[in-house]
Amino acid sequence: MKQKIKHVFFDLDHTLWDFDKNSGLTFEKIFQMNRIEVGLEDFLLIYEPINFKYWKLYREEKVTKSALRYGRLKEAFDAVGVKVEDEMIHNLSDAYIDNLSTFNHLFEGTFETLDYLKDKYHLHIITNGFEEAQEKKLTASNIKQYFKTVTNSEMVGVKKPNPKIFNFALSGAKALASESVMIGDNIEADIEGAHKIGMQTIHFDYKNSDFNHGFKRITNLKMLTEHL
């Protein structure tokens, strides 16, 4: 891989930016601000798979952005048995987005890995996250300067794994698929999506749980130095 690759594309959430940790801290903050009485650990245990489900529906164009933001909270509160009025759910949804980028924990080894890669390759981002939120995360976490291009699904009108977003990103980067590698946590969206258009791939399995696929796999970002 080392000889052929010129461009390295990263997913953002769950790959560089520690979404689970930052999201949990955001909920803690906005629940205190709005006096929501709910056990944080119990809520997060319920919320995380619901959020994952809604993002899959969003990628598949089965729910809108606003339906995702409302539905994941409504369903989670119902599941933990806490009654929250619709108006408050909408308020919490807005507060969550507003406050999410105030926490900027990155995965271990992010800066060291990006420093290692930046002089050897052109670095880029391809993300399905909401444009305004992703821009804030990149800036506030102090990693924006590493990336030549940032491609967001809202720019393109489709989400990963749709080939259009990968082709749009390649075009913007002036890169060929054959000389590019995609690194991300989601097998369906990041890895299979990129693979189908001819990009090389590395799965970032930060939970160390997904062994049953034929793709290159790392469990820590510093392992990228063994592949690139």
Side-chain angles (χ1 to χ4, degrees), residues 67-86:
L68 180 153
R69 287 181 170 180
Y70 168 81
R72 62 187 178 182
L73 286 175
K74 170 68 173 165
E75 201 168 310
F77 282 126
D78 287 349
V80 295
V82 175
K83 182 166 177 54
V84 180
E85 299 297 330
D86 276 358

Side-chain angles (χ1 to χ4, degrees), residues 38-77:
V38 61
L40 185 65
E41 285 187 20
D42 292 339
F43 177 84
L44 291 175
L45 205 61
I46 293 288
Y47 172 82
E48 285 176 4
I50 290 172
N51 185 46
F52 184 86
K53 177 187 76 174
Y54 269 91
W55 272 100
K56 181 171 169 56
L57 292 170
Y58 182 66
R59 287 198 305 271
E60 295 169 352
E61 313 285 347
K62 292 177 180 174
V63 297
T64 63
K65 177 177 170 179
S66 59
L68 180 153
R69 287 181 170 180
Y70 168 81
R72 62 187 178 182
L73 286 175
K74 170 68 173 165
E75 201 168 310
F77 282 126

Side-chain angles (χ1 to χ4, degrees), residues 6-214:
K6 295 180 182 177
H7 297 268
V8 180
F9 291 83
F10 283 94
D11 177 40
L12 181 58
D13 293 334
H14 303 285
T15 300
L16 298 172
W17 200 81
D18 191 342
F19 185 91
D20 293 340
K21 186 170 189 175
N22 295 321
S23 179
L25 290 166
T26 303
F27 277 120
E28 183 177 35
K29 180 179 179 179
I30 66 172
F31 287 168
Q32 288 175 354
M33 285 167 51
N34 290 279
R35 296 181 173 83
I36 302 296
E37 298 292 330
V38 61
L40 185 65
E41 285 187 20
D42 292 339
F43 177 84
L44 291 175
L45 205 61
I46 293 288
Y47 172 82
E48 285 176 4
I50 290 172
N51 185 46
F52 184 86
K53 177 187 76 174
Y54 269 91
W55 272 100
K56 181 171 169 56
L57 292 170
Y58 182 66
R59 287 198 305 271
E60 295 169 352
E61 313 285 347
K62 292 177 180 174
V63 297
T64 63
K65 177 177 170 179
S66 59
L68 180 153
R69 287 181 170 180
Y70 168 81
R72 62 187 178 182
L73 286 175
K74 170 68 173 165
E75 201 168 310
F77 282 126
D78 287 349
V80 295
V82 175
K83 182 166 177 54
V84 180
E85 299 297 330
D86 276 358
E87 185 179 358
M88 177 56 77
I89 289 177
H90 288 297
N91 289 342
L92 288 169
S93 174
D94 291 341
Y96 177 81
I97 298 299
D98 290 342
N99 286 277
L100 188 58
S101 62
T102 64
F103 299 99
N104 283 287
H105 294 280
L106 300 169
F107 279 101
E108 181 188 357
T110 294
F111 285 113
E112 298 94 318
T113 303
L114 293 176
D115 281 332
Y116 168 82
L117 295 173
K118 69 181 170 61
D119 295 327
K120 299 174 175 64
Y121 306 95
H122 299 294
L123 307 184
H124 312 275
I125 293 280
I126 309 178
T127 173
N128 278 354
F130 304 133
E131 188 164 3
E132 69 273 26
Q134 302 307 73
E135 188 66 25
K136 285 179 185 176
K137 290 173 192 174
L138 285 166
T139 303
S141 63
N142 202 30
I143 58 172
K144 186 178 179 181
Q145 72 273 13
Y146 287 100
F147 301 103
K148 304 277 189 192
T149 67
V150 177
T151 300
N152 188 283
S153 58
E154 290 188 321
M155 294 176 189
V156 191
V158 297
K159 298 110 186 160
K160 295 176 290 183
N162 191 308
K164 286 181 183 176
I165 190 170
F166 293 102
N167 286 320
F168 182 96
L170 289 169
S171 177
K174 298 181 172 57
L176 299 173
S178 59
E179 59 187 23
S180 303
V181 60
M182 179 72 201
I183 300 155
D185 70 291
N186 189 292
I187 288 290
E188 178 191 24
D190 299 314
I191 305 306
E192 291 177 351
H195 177 73
K196 281 177 182 171
I197 68 150
M199 295 173 75
Q200 297 183 53
T201 61
I202 300 174
H203 177 216
F204 179 45
D205 182 13
Y206 67 96
K207 292 184 176 177
N208 196 15
S209 60
D210 203 341
F211 314 101
N212 299 317
H213 59 70

